[in-house]
Amino acid sequence: MSTEGAPEQLAQDKTTGICCQKVSEAEVFARAGISDILITNQVCEQVKIKRLAGIAALGCRLSVCVDNQANIDALSAEAKKRNVHIHCLVELDCGAGRCGVADAEQATELATSIKEAEHLIFDGLQAYQGSIQHEPNHHQRKTELYAVISKVKTCLEDLAAVGL
C-alpha cells in the first residue's frame, strides 16, 4: 500500500488501518495522516523505540508485536517518558522459528505483563504462518494450518482464563 492509496482505501471503509514492517514505514504513513498503524514486527533497538513513541505522540494509534519481557519493559519506559500509549500484540511462533513465543503459557505471561505495564495496551495476538502457502502438498498444508489454529485457540483459552 502506498501513501497515496492508503487514505483512499480508509475513506472507502475498506479497512480501519494499515500494517507495515518497519518504523521508517510507519513514520511515512503517520506523516501522510494514517492514524491507525500496526508494525508487524518487534521493535527492539532503543533508537527505534524512541521513534516509535514519537509516532504515537502524533496522535497515531500505534501497535507493535512483542515476544519478550525486555522489549515490553523498553516500550513501556519510552512510552511513559513521552506520555503516550503503545498497543502491543504478543507474537506467536507459528512454525517459522524466527520470532514469537513458543506456547500459550509464555503468551499469557507476556500479555499479563503488557496489561500491567504503564502506557502499554494489550491488543491481542499476532499469529502469522505465511510459509504455509508455499507447501505444495495439500494434506501437509492442512496439517500445518490446523496446528497453528490449535495453538491460537489454546492461547485464546488461556488468555480468557486470566481475564484477557
Side-chain angles (χ1 to χ4, degrees):
M1 181 183 305
S2 70
T3 57
E4 294 83 26
E8 182 178 312
Q9 284 186 326
L10 291 167
Q12 294 177 17
D13 293 328
K14 294 184 188 263
T15 186
T16 59
I18 59 101
C19 62
C20 58
Q21 296 283 314
K22 305 183 304 186
V23 173
S24 59
E25 293 169 340
E27 288 169 328
V28 170
F29 283 120
R31 284 193 297 268
I34 307 300
S35 61
D36 189 347
I37 301 170
L38 164 63
I39 298 176
T40 59
N41 284 309
Q42 294 76 35
V43 177
C44 299
E45 295 175 30
Q46 190 58 40
V47 67
K48 291 181 181 180
I49 291 172
K50 286 181 180 184
R51 289 168 57 195
L52 192 73
I55 297 168
L58 297 173
C60 184
R61 183 187 191 284
L62 189 66
S63 305
V64 65
C65 296
V66 297
D67 66 0
N68 66 77
Q69 185 61 50
N71 191 210
I72 292 169
D73 294 341
L75 290 166
S76 178
E78 191 61 37
K80 183 178 179 181
K81 274 188 213 173
R82 298 291 293 262
N83 194 30
V84 297
H85 288 89
I86 297 174
H87 297 255
C88 298
L89 293 99
V90 174
E91 182 158 6
L92 303 176
D93 179 357
C94 294
R98 187 179 67 84
C99 56
V101 297
D103 58 41
E105 182 179 343
Q106 291 175 312
T108 302
E109 287 174 9
L110 292 182
T112 301
S113 180
I114 293 164
K115 182 181 177 190
E116 295 170 354
E118 288 190 77
H119 295 268
L120 299 185
I121 298 169
F122 173 67
D123 256 3
L125 302 173
Q126 165 83 342
Y128 178 71
Q129 175 41 308
S131 64
I132 288 175
Q133 64 188 329
H134 301 293
E135 173 55 57
N137 180 288
H138 175 74
H139 178 72
Q140 181 62 30
R141 187 170 55 247
K142 187 175 179 180
T143 299
E144 290 178 25
L145 175 62
Y146 285 130
V148 171
I149 291 170
S150 176
K151 182 181 235 180
V152 171
K153 283 182 177 181
T154 299
C155 287
L156 292 173
E157 290 166 0
D158 284 11
L159 289 169
V162 298
L164 293 172

